[in-house]
Amino acid sequence: MNVDQIRETFTRFYAERGHTRIPSASLVPHGDPTLLFTSAGMVPFKPYFTGLAEPPALRMVTVQKCFRTTDIDEVGDYSHLTMFEMLGNFSIGDYFKEDAIKWAWELLTGDPPNGFGLPKEKLWVSIFETDDEAHDMWRGVGLPEDRIHRYPEENNYWFSGDVGPCGPNSEIFVNRGSRDTCEYCRAGTCKPNLEPDCGRFLEVWNLVFMTLFQAEDGTRTPLPHNNIDTGSGLERVAVALQGKDTVYDTDVLRPIIARIEEMSDKTYGQDKATDMAMRIIAEHSRAATFLITDGVLPSNEGRGYVLRRILRRAVYFLTQLRGPSDETLLDQVAEAVIEKMQHAYPDLEDRGDFVKRLLSAEESKFRETLERGRAHLDSILATATESKKIDGHQAFTLYDTFGYPVELTIEIAGRSGFEVDLEGFEREMSAQRERGRAAAKFEIDADRTAAYGQLAHIKTRFVGYDATEHRTTIAGIIGASGVADSAADGDEVEVVLLETPFYPEGGGQVGDTGVIVGPNGRVIVGDTQSASEGLIVHRGRVGGRIAVNDDMTAHVDIDRRRASQRNHTATHLLHAALRQVLGDHVRQAGSLVGPDRLRFDFTHIESTKPEELAAVQRLVNEKIRADIDVHWEQQSYDDALAGGAMALFGEKYTREVRVVGICEPAPAAMTDDQHAEAHATCFSKELCGGTHCGRTGEIGTFVIASESSVGSGLRRIEAMTGALADAYVLEQQSTVARIAKKLTATPAEIEARIDTLQSELDIERKRVQQLERAAGRSEVDTLMSNAERVDGTSLVVARVPAANVDAMREMSDLLRDKLGSAVIVLGAVVGDRPNFLAVVTPDLAGRVHAGNLIKQVAAIAGGGGGGRPEMAQAGGKDASKLDEALATAKRIATEALGG
């Protein structure tokens, strides 16, 4: 079977047994603060296992794309992957062990096309050491005793994380035959889970009997139901069914490697180094393509750092295969990924152009820094041949200045037998900036999570689309000590209501504020959040006394709500306008909708040109002046997408979704024939749970305040609406008037006046440069006359009156040309900081290394730097140490020259 057939056989098998097919969730987990990525097939189902959300069905089947950071450094061997697909069938309180085991056996051993057709005699299983029930069930399907092995918790107990659902598991292995290199195989005692693993037993399925929830302190309590969570790695199943040795030989990755072969003119299988490079490039390119498609963009923290790390690792190995190249290659590999996998994941094709453009831009940028950084790294390796160690400062410089992930430095240095001082690197990182490292966990409030779990049965009905004031009842209270029956004056609480007009933060829109008033007390609400699916909490301070079952009246701050609504509707208009002006590749990548402003992040490679921003602003304001109806309706998710509605990355949608359309005419006013083509006439149509204006005219005015970059391929617009937009325009007009007054010009004459001043300034700047050059030439003559001779060569070490580093460099060039063979070290105070420049003529580079010399000199003045053997520059912090540093430079250079 090829991988498409494996996916279809698996999902069809379970669909025929009453399972609802669930599409793959994003690689970015929605609403789970404990995870960086969707790292297992069960991640999207965690709320169902814990009872925090109602599942769409009790039986479900899925093919879930997953990403794990733990295996990045191992990618390139024969089995490890960062991105993989997990086949899974799930039961939420429905069937349990017996059916899970029976069906797994039927699917694995059944005849194709209804099963995978694996020989029964090749299957072995492991179980938790005390799970007699699972043992008896495996015996019941016909598995002999000698192929059932018991293991302790370390091997056969599955955890979704430090906190979360867990339970004993049973793993299924394919016996691929005895290995001559394995002592256990030779002795006839080899079995699954032996250390070290010889590769004989390939795990193809993990059946988790999920019954418990593990708290942060390690205690375990029963889940609401006994659940089944299974995971079968698609790539491993392909290895078993296609009779291959590795995942890279299957049709999962082999077509991608074939594209790399074409680009590199090298053949997979010709040697170990080439194979390793091709496997890393293929795997990382596939993972990066999926991550970008799911909205992850390169950055220096969090998910973006992980993406950038695998991209740079792939680029490094591309250079090892092909050498320096003016042509970008990652985008070509991504094209092969898309061609191979778009049938199963159509969004790869939809976002393909953007993915390839982003990869090309990121590769070009890194190739430049890679070349500079490699020269710096080679210099470090050349000067540390005795210690065989790269210190923390050097590793951090490679990271911070040259963009080298420390893991890549370790990898390159390791090939030359060098170690990296990781502790020193971490100290440098902490001292200069706090950056997100690739970690699988975030901090969570376990007590708060437990309180939400106790109230998860409450399903608050949101009535805020139609009302901002509503009579309701308190259904739950969470105080400082957890769930409570009442709260007193001054207490900070989270209140749960049976019905609420307060909008909980979501979709970028901030939560409502206001007041909840009752007969004995009130709650001043400062924020509203959705704690879990259906559970809305109102965070605030109590005045008087409140208690569960109190009748209350909830009042939303209407002015704040209306201001947020104006910005939210304007955000939809902005999104549509950007796509119309810049292109369909534009997608929302994050937003913040508050009462005072809107912030909109979107995917776009280049900076947005001023004329493009002007066109976007004009278009949005045209739609505002048109006073278009803003219409919303409930639809099934599939119908909404079929009708042209856009779904946003990272959001989690239920079967029934709310569609917000800004259409001309309004759908409600259409005839049946017009309604069939409604999506074609909508300026904007998105899935959105937020609150909106009734008509676009309520927005008033829309003004873009700024546009900037917030990462590779990611832009940000900040804008305002309504009265705040008017105030912003007035402020800008006032600023222009003040500038015009200072320039003794009218506002219309400002630009011409500035051009005149700029021309005058350029003339004066050139005159100053000519004077500086003349002074510099005069200074060079003085320096030459004072040059010392050391062992037949010239040595110039001097403090010079240079205005900038360029002037120092010009002096050094003149000195080098006139002296012929020389070592030159110049120092100058530029501004209030010392600067140093060292130049060594080529004939002396073997005796004096300019980079090493300047590093020692700058350190005396509290600075650092480096460079090539023939030229280097550095800066310091303490100008008073300049002369001392130059004296040290003279001593070091004299000794190196043999004086």
Side-chain angles (χ1 to χ4, degrees):
M1 289 185 177
N2 62 38
V3 289
D4 291 333
Q5 293 168 330
I6 293 171
R7 290 191 200 96
E8 177 54 29
T9 297
F10 183 87
T11 53
R12 185 180 66 247
F13 179 91
Y14 281 99
E16 290 171 352
R17 287 153 183 80
H19 291 64
T20 298
R21 296 192 192 207
I22 304 295
S24 174
S26 169
L27 285 172
V28 179
H30 176 77
D32 190 339
T34 68
L35 294 173
L36 198 64
F37 295 103
T38 301
S39 55
M42 61 77 63
V43 167
F45 302 91
K46 280 175 68 174
Y48 310 142
F49 293 134
T50 58
L52 291 176
E54 185 177 343
L58 298 182
R59 297 183 180 190
M60 294 170 284
V61 61
T62 185
V63 181
Q64 174 63 48
K65 51 194 175 184
C66 303
F67 185 93
R68 289 181 184 167
T69 63
T70 52
D71 294 332
I72 291 177
D73 295 328
E74 281 72 37
V75 167
D77 64 7
Y78 290 103
S79 61
H80 286 94
L81 302 170
T82 59
M83 185 263 170
F84 55 95
E85 296 177 77
M86 190 63 77
L87 311 168
N89 60 285
F90 305 90
S91 166
I92 313 298
D94 189 21
Y95 64 86
F96 198 48
K97 287 184 186 180
E98 184 174 7
D99 286 333
I101 289 173
K102 178 183 67 174
W103 288 336
W105 184 258
E106 287 179 10
L107 176 59
L108 287 173
T109 62
D111 294 332
N114 299 316
F116 290 153
L118 286 170
K120 295 179 181 179
E121 63 273 12
K122 289 190 175 183
L123 297 181
W124 296 47
V125 302
S126 65
I127 60 174
F128 184 51
E129 57 188 351
T130 61
D131 196 347
D132 295 333
E133 188 177 31
H135 170 271
D136 294 342
M137 290 171 181
W138 280 119
R139 293 288 287 119
V141 299
L143 199 65
E145 185 70 37
D146 62 351
R147 285 193 268 134
I148 303 173
H149 295 272
R150 296 176 184 263
Y151 291 101
E153 184 172 295
E154 177 184 353
N155 300 98
N156 275 89
Y157 209 94
W158 197 87
F159 300 89
S160 59
D162 294 336
V163 177
C166 61
N169 69 332
S170 180
E171 296 170 313
I172 307 173
F173 300 84
V174 175
N175 184 348
R176 300 196 289 172
S178 181
R179 306 295 164 120
D180 293 339
T181 56
C182 174
E183 60 177 299
Y184 299 104
C185 286
R186 293 195 300 270
T189 58
C190 197
K191 61 181 180 178
N193 285 332
L194 277 181
E195 292 291 345
D197 180 9
C198 71
R200 174 178 181 175
F201 293 97
L202 175 69
E203 180 199 332
V204 293
W205 209 324
N206 185 7
L207 286 73
V208 181
F209 311 125
M210 192 174 288
T211 58
L212 300 172
F213 182 92
Q214 176 165 291
E216 195 169 25
D217 63 1
T219 59
R220 299 171 191 168
T221 55
L223 290 168
H225 309 285
N226 286 341
N227 309 298
I228 289 295
D229 155 33
T230 79
S232 176
L234 173 70
E235 291 82 0
R236 292 189 178 204
V237 172
V239 169
L241 296 186
Q242 295 173 17
K244 304 297 184 181
D245 287 332
T246 79
V247 295
Y248 296 96
D249 298 314
T250 68
D251 69 322
V252 174
L253 288 162
R254 193 62 184 85
I256 304 170
I257 290 176
R259 181 66 58 89
I260 298 169
E261 288 178 300
E262 293 172 9
M263 297 184 327
S264 64
D265 292 328
K266 288 185 170 58
T267 304
Y268 184 67
Q270 71 181 52
D271 60 69
K272 187 176 180 180
T274 298
D275 290 356
M276 173 72 77
M278 287 188 175
R279 289 196 292 264
I280 290 171
I281 297 164
E283 200 284 335
H284 285 353
S285 298
R286 184 175 78 137
T289 300
F290 273 86
L291 286 171
I292 297 169
T293 299
D294 278 0
V296 180
L297 299 174
S299 70
N300 287 336
E301 58 185 15
R303 299 182 180 99
Y305 176 74
V306 176
L307 172 59
R308 179 161 280 168
R309 177 181 165 191
I310 64 172
L311 284 178
R312 291 185 167 182
R313 194 166 185 246
V315 172
Y316 169 74
F317 280 99
L318 274 170
T319 63
Q320 300 303 296
L321 276 185
R322 182 163 163 166
S325 173
D326 295 331
E327 180 185 20
T328 58
L329 305 173
L330 277 184
D331 51 328
Q332 299 180 48
V333 184
E335 189 171 36
V337 174
I338 294 167
E339 289 172 0
K340 170 62 186 171
M341 305 195 71
Q342 64 186 3
H343 171 70
Y345 300 97
D347 51 341
L348 289 175
E349 183 179 19
D350 295 341
R351 301 212 72 208
D353 288 342
F354 175 75
V355 169
K356 288 184 284 186
R357 288 173 64 195
L358 180 61
L359 288 175
S360 178
E362 187 74 8
E363 179 179 350
S364 295
K365 184 164 55 177
F366 183 55
R367 278 185 182 274
E368 295 173 4
T369 56
L370 185 66
E371 186 174 346
R372 294 198 306 271
R374 188 56 198 262
H376 185 70
L377 178 56
D378 287 344
S379 173
I380 293 171
L381 298 177
T383 57
T385 53
E386 292 186 12
S387 66
K388 288 287 183 178
K389 192 165 189 175
I390 297 176
D391 67 39
H393 176 75
Q394 293 169 326
F396 179 76
T397 299
L398 284 164
Y399 169 83
D400 193 45
T401 304
F402 300 102
Y404 268 59
V406 68
E407 298 83 4
L408 183 56
T409 300
I410 294 170
E411 193 161 343
I412 297 171
R415 293 201 186 94
S416 301
F418 281 71
E419 295 181 353
V420 176
D421 175 15
L422 278 177
E423 290 186 7
F425 172 80
E426 290 298 339
R427 284 194 300 272
E428 292 280 347
M429 287 282 286
S430 299
Q432 296 210 22
R433 65 177 59 89
E434 180 180 356
R435 289 188 176 173
R437 291 297 308 275
K441 308 291 179 189
F442 290 113
E443 291 184 3
I444 61 170
D445 186 338
D447 291 338
R448 189 69 67 188
T449 301
Y452 294 153
Q454 293 179 54
L455 299 179
H457 63 281
I458 301 172
K459 302 301 178 186
T460 305
R461 188 168 75 91
F462 177 64
V463 297
Y465 293 132
D466 304 312
T468 53
E469 181 178 320
H470 188 76
R471 289 188 60 80
T472 184
T473 303
I474 294 179
I477 299 172
I478 301 173
S481 301
V483 175
D485 293 328
S486 63
D489 191 76
D491 287 351
E492 296 284 346
V493 296
E494 293 185 340
V495 174
V496 180
L497 304 175
L498 288 180
E499 296 178 328
T500 182
F502 282 74
Y503 179 76
E505 181 177 328
Q509 183 174 333
V510 299
D512 278 335
T513 63
V515 61
I516 304 170
V517 181
N520 302 311
R522 62 174 51 205
V523 180
I524 306 299
V525 179
D527 189 21
T528 308
Q529 294 286 327
S530 181
S532 63
E533 191 169 330
L535 183 66
I536 298 175
V537 295
H538 307 74
R539 294 173 176 168
R541 181 183 295 271
V542 176
R545 188 179 185 280
I546 62 169
V548 173
N549 295 324
D550 278 359
D551 291 328
M552 310 290 283
T553 301
H555 303 266
V556 173
D557 183 333
I558 186 63
D559 291 337
R560 190 173 184 275
R561 161 74 80 83
R562 285 174 178 166
S564 294
Q565 288 182 171
R566 285 193 291 270
N567 284 332
H568 202 158
T569 304
T571 298
H572 283 222
L573 291 174
L574 173 61
H575 190 187
L578 284 167
R579 286 171 60 81
Q580 187 165 317
V581 173
L582 301 181
D584 289 342
H585 65 277
V586 169
R587 293 291 182 97
Q588 179 173 336
S591 69
L592 174 64
V593 178
D596 57 337
R597 66 189 172 111
L598 68 89
R599 187 182 73 209
F600 186 77
D601 295 345
F602 60 99
T603 53
H604 189 53
I605 300 297
E606 308 89 10
S607 61
T608 313
K609 301 180 181 66
E611 59 270 24
E612 292 171 332
L613 283 177
V616 168
Q617 183 169 300
R618 280 196 302 271
L619 183 54
V620 171
N621 279 302
E622 284 175 11
K623 298 305 177 182
I624 291 172
R625 288 191 295 272
D627 197 25
I628 305 169
D629 177 81
V630 181
H631 175 83
W632 48 83
E633 61 182 324
Q634 293 292 127
Q635 288 185 298
S636 73
Y637 180 79
D638 292 339
D639 287 347
L641 295 187
M646 289 188 65
L648 304 182
F649 294 118
E651 291 291 332
K652 183 178 181 180
Y653 296 105
T654 56
R655 283 184 165 186
E656 286 290 314
V657 293
R658 186 168 181 262
V659 182
V660 176
I662 301 174
C663 310
E664 303 174 278
M670 296 178 185
T671 65
D672 290 341
D673 291 340
Q674 290 173 322
H675 201 279
E677 299 181 2
H679 66 273
T681 63
C682 288
F683 181 70
S684 169
K685 197 172 188 182
E686 296 187 16
L687 307 190
C688 179
T691 64
H692 285 270
C693 300
R695 303 187 68 83
T696 59
E698 296 172 22
I699 297 170
T701 307
F702 171 82
V703 175
I704 295 175
S706 67
E707 191 272 356
S708 61
S709 170
V710 288
S712 184
L714 186 63
R715 311 296 301 180
R716 170 172 292 172
I717 282 177
E718 301 218 23
M720 287 165 284
T721 62
L724 289 173
D726 293 339
Y728 177 80
V729 171
L730 290 172
E731 182 184 346
Q732 297 301 302
Q733 289 175 335
S734 177
T735 301
V736 170
R738 289 195 303 272
I739 293 172
K741 185 176 180 180
K742 288 183 178 182
L743 294 173
T744 62
T746 66
E749 295 169 342
I750 287 176
E751 188 172 3
R753 181 67 177 128
I754 290 175
D755 287 343
T756 300
L757 291 173
Q758 187 66 54
S759 296
E760 294 172 357
L761 183 61
D762 288 344
I763 292 170
E764 290 302 313
R765 188 178 287 118
K766 289 176 182 176
R767 189 172 69 83
V768 170
Q769 288 174 349
Q770 289 171 354
L771 292 172
E772 288 177 347
R773 287 196 184 98
R777 285 192 291 272
S778 176
E779 183 69 22
V780 166
D781 292 339
T782 302
L783 293 174
M784 286 186 61
S785 64
N786 294 329
E788 297 184 25
R789 299 291 293 178
V790 180
D791 195 25
T793 190
S794 297
L795 173 63
V796 176
V797 180
R799 178 177 186 144
V800 295
N804 50 53
V805 176
D806 288 339
M808 295 171 65
R809 193 176 292 116
E810 189 170 339
M811 288 183 192
S812 69
D813 289 344
L814 289 170
L815 283 168
R816 181 184 55 202
D817 294 342
K818 291 184 176 183
L819 293 172
S821 176
V823 173
I824 304 161
V825 182
L826 304 180
V829 176
V830 179
D832 60 351
R833 289 181 176 267
N835 282 265
F836 302 94
L837 180 71
V839 172
V840 178
T841 53
D843 61 308
L844 301 175
R847 298 161 69 183
V848 183
H849 189 288
N852 295 339
L853 173 60
I854 207 73
K855 181 180 177 182
Q856 296 178 69
V857 171
I860 294 172
R868 303 189 307 273
E870 297 175 15
M871 189 182 79
Q873 67 184 58
K877 298 177 182 178
D878 189 349
S880 69
K881 299 285 188 180
L882 178 65
D883 293 330
E884 181 184 344
L886 290 174
T888 301
K890 184 175 181 179
R891 177 180 56 77
I892 294 173
T894 301
E895 292 173 356
L897 291 172

